Amino acid sequence: TMRASFPPLSRGARTLASEAGRRSYDAVVCGAGIAGVSCAHYLARSGASVLLVDSRPPLSHTSSLSTECYRNFFPGSVPLTAFMQRSVDLLEARAAECDNAFGLNRRGYWFLLASEEGAAQHALALSDPGLASCGGVSHFSDASHGLRYRHDAPTGAAAAAAAAGGGGGGGDGPAAMLFSGREAVQAYVGSLPPFLAADASSLLVASRAGWMSAQQMGMELLSKARDAGAATLIPSSLQGVRTASDGQVEAALLSVPGESEPLEVRTGAVVNAAGPYAGVVDALLRGGGGEGGGGRELPLQNEVHAKAVLRDDLSAVPGDAPMVVWTDPVTLPWSEEEAEALLEIGGFEASLAGSLPGGFHLRPYPGKPHSLLMLWEAIHADVAVPREPPEEAELRGSLFAELTLRALSRAVPALGGYLGEDGSMTANVSVDGGYYSKAPDNLPLIGPAAGGPRGAYMCAGLSGYGIMAANAAGELLAKHVTGAPLPEAYAAGFLPERWESEEYRRGVESGAIGKGFQI
């Protein structure tokens, strides 16, 4: 079980705990990160009474350390694409309700590369069925397309139509645009000062994408949930459940600071939205669920996620640039002596001397002085994280920042100005990070908890797309709990019970069941 050290409850918190013990709730949501807050929001929005519990303040821990981005671009997975389309619809609706208090923009994602092999991979997007279902991919192979990047308007055909007086917006236009060849790429990016590698020859633009203040978005969801009657009991944590003789959840047992006995809260539904601790809570529900408990352990995995924020004193990247992702593999620019030394060390260090996977990102970071947010998941891919992860993620700190900067200088040559003659990093950089929790198929786990008692639910495994998926995830979970009709496009594929099937597990392990796009 999860353990935490709490100060004694204040008189007001004791009153709230006492009230929670006297009444019943339609659902108790365990975990007040972005997934749990979204579950509470959409449950309350549907008319359910909700109690949200966590041992930490809302939207803290991993939810406070995200890159705050979103996209509907998930080639290779039809259900995940439909799911993200719905989540962006909801994001835009929530932004409209609060006059965009959380700063949702539509800067877009640019997936860039220079290799012929990579260009062939980009071209696969043209026939991707998921992308076809939400507008398809427009293809341009010379400089005559007439399109230009705009940081203040939606990218893609919607912006082009608006510029021509044709209106457009929302989810209109293509899901993405593919610019093939240097001339086509340069014509599109030419509205910005030159900053990208001159040999970039393929650009895939995810049109319905950008970023926001994730903390502010989460607080809007929480505030609206409270307005609709949702209650919070923080700090507290799930200790177990009480079930009826038929295996139905009757009460949640909560550990409350300063209390020697668990607080029993009557409810018919307990939602596991515990983020990186979801595997621990799932085991708790399976073991303490009375009749109906059991089943196979969910293959939830935790991975380290880190990001660096660099003060861009050299103005290497324009402040109105989009998210830039270089997807070609990269060999870092080591001297011969440095490469030999890395190989001699062995292990992770030796891997740095060879070809490394692409997928390194950057985007402008709001505020002054002008800064850049940078990340590269490959740098922590070898770090093993236990099922119950440490409070603080094990980060490679300044080494992560330096390696990511070295890699990004392939995409943005001016970033090399932050590396000294000896290769050391001279930039002002801060690093933080937390965890991604994911299933091996890279799909979320949303619905009744397999192997748990009736009335136990899960909203977890949101991988690296938790912020962007949270709204659709919370809405889907609320539909499961309230018995509302489920979306046919993706609900069945996200059920936790899929992992009870040995055939499904073997299919994922063998690659017969694809994992979709993972960046």
Side-chain angles (χ1 to χ4, degrees):
T1 60
M2 291 182 289
R3 300 177 180 86
S5 177
F6 306 119
L9 285 182
S10 65
R11 179 174 298 177
R14 282 184 178 275
T15 299
L16 179 56
S18 177
E19 289 176 354
R22 286 199 301 268
R23 62 168 295 185
S24 62
Y25 295 87
D26 294 320
V28 173
V29 178
C30 305
I34 191 61
V37 164
S38 186
C39 289
H41 175 93
Y42 286 97
L43 281 164
R45 201 178 184 99
S46 69
S49 58
V50 186
L51 179 66
L52 180 65
V53 303
D54 201 320
S55 61
R56 303 172 184 82
L59 303 166
S60 60
H61 206 231
T62 287
S63 291
S64 67
L65 301 169
S66 79
T67 50
E68 304 185 302
C69 297
Y70 77 95
R71 67 181 188 272
N72 70 335
F73 184 80
F74 280 82
S77 176
V78 173
L80 204 51
T81 299
F83 180 60
M84 291 302 179
Q85 276 284 93
R86 178 58 181 163
S87 208
V88 178
D89 288 344
L90 293 169
L91 266 174
E92 292 176 345
R94 301 293 80 81
E97 287 175 353
C98 64
D99 195 25
N100 200 16
F102 51 89
L104 186 74
N105 71 35
R106 189 77 79 86
R107 293 278 190 96
Y109 270 56
W110 288 5
F111 298 96
L112 275 162
L113 47 77
S115 69
E116 292 184 5
E117 297 82 1
Q121 290 296 311
H122 273 187
L124 295 177
L126 297 170
S127 57
D128 185 83
L131 298 180
S133 70
C134 57
V137 179
S138 297
H139 189 201
F140 308 99
S141 56
D142 58 41
S144 66
H145 50 72
L147 298 172
R148 300 292 182 272
Y149 167 72
R150 290 179 56 188
H151 76 277
D152 58 350
T155 57
D172 300 335
M177 299 181 293
L178 175 60
F179 299 92
S180 298
R182 295 183 190 180
E183 293 78 12
V185 172
Q186 290 301 322
Y188 180 71
V189 307
S191 56
L192 290 172
F195 73 104
L196 297 170
D199 63 341
S201 58
S202 186
L203 167 62
L204 193 54
V205 178
S207 305
R208 202 177 185 199
W211 56 88
M212 73 200 88
S213 168
Q215 282 287 295
Q216 191 62 43
M217 185 270 286
M219 288 307 299
E220 286 292 330
L221 294 180
L222 183 57
S223 175
K224 293 294 192 300
R226 285 171 167 159
D227 290 346
T232 56
L233 183 56
I234 296 172
S236 64
S237 59
L238 184 70
Q239 184 172 319
V241 294
R242 179 169 58 78
T243 60
S245 59
D246 63 355
Q248 171 66 44
V249 169
E250 285 189 331
L253 306 177
L254 305 179
S255 175
V256 178
E259 302 297 323
S260 58
E261 296 295 326
L263 174 69
E264 185 171 296
V265 176
R266 295 187 302 278
T267 185
V270 173
V271 178
N272 175 4
Y277 300 96
V280 177
V281 174
D282 183 64
L284 178 68
L285 290 171
R286 289 169 184 262
E291 291 186 17
R296 304 184 61 173
E297 182 180 272
L298 283 173
L300 271 172
Q301 306 160 344
N302 288 316
E303 297 179 353
V304 171
H305 160 70
K307 70 178 189 291
V309 176
L310 176 147
R311 195 174 74 188
D312 189 15
D313 295 327
L314 300 178
S315 297
V317 176
D320 52 3
M323 170 72 87
V324 175
V325 187
W326 189 269
T327 54
D328 269 340
V330 65
T331 301
L332 298 179
W334 306 110
S335 69
E336 185 175 337
E337 292 78 9
E338 288 173 326
E340 288 178 357
L342 289 169
L343 290 170
E344 288 180 5
I345 295 172
F348 168 75
E349 286 77 8
S351 72
L352 299 177
S355 178
L356 295 166
F360 31 92
H361 302 42
L362 66 77
R363 71 165 175 86
Y365 195 72
K368 294 193 180 294
H370 174 54
S371 299
L372 302 175
L373 186 151
M374 312 184 303
L375 61 152
W376 191 13
E377 303 301 351
I379 300 305
H380 290 100
D382 67 314
V383 177
V385 181
R387 191 169 182 80
E388 183 171 0
E391 183 75 15
E392 300 289 334
E394 178 186 340
L395 304 178
R396 289 196 159 107
S398 60
L399 177 61
F400 165 78
E402 179 185 329
L403 294 172
T404 304
L405 182 60
R406 283 176 177 265
L408 281 166
S409 67
R410 172 65 181 92
V412 180
L415 289 174
Y418 293 112
L419 297 170
E421 291 185 5
D422 61 354
S424 61
M425 182 174 62
T426 60
N428 185 324
V429 180
S430 62
V431 176
D432 64 26
Y435 301 105
Y436 288 155
S437 179
K438 62 190 293 186
D441 58 2
N442 203 42
L443 297 178
L445 297 156
I446 305 173
R454 285 191 297 111
Y457 296 86
M458 171 172 276
C459 183
L462 297 182
S463 191
Y465 47 77
I467 295 298
M468 64 184 87
N471 278 269
E475 180 192 56
L476 177 57
L477 184 282
K479 289 179 182 294
H480 277 291
V481 173
T482 62
L486 301 174
E488 294 182 3
Y490 51 82
F494 299 165
L495 289 171
E497 69 181 23
R498 68 187 186 271
W499 292 105
E500 298 292 297
S501 165
E502 184 62 34
E503 181 181 359
Y504 189 86
R505 289 178 180 245
R506 286 199 303 266
V508 173
E509 291 170 2
S510 68
I513 296 174
K515 300 180 182 180
F517 184 68
Q518 300 186 72
I519 283 288

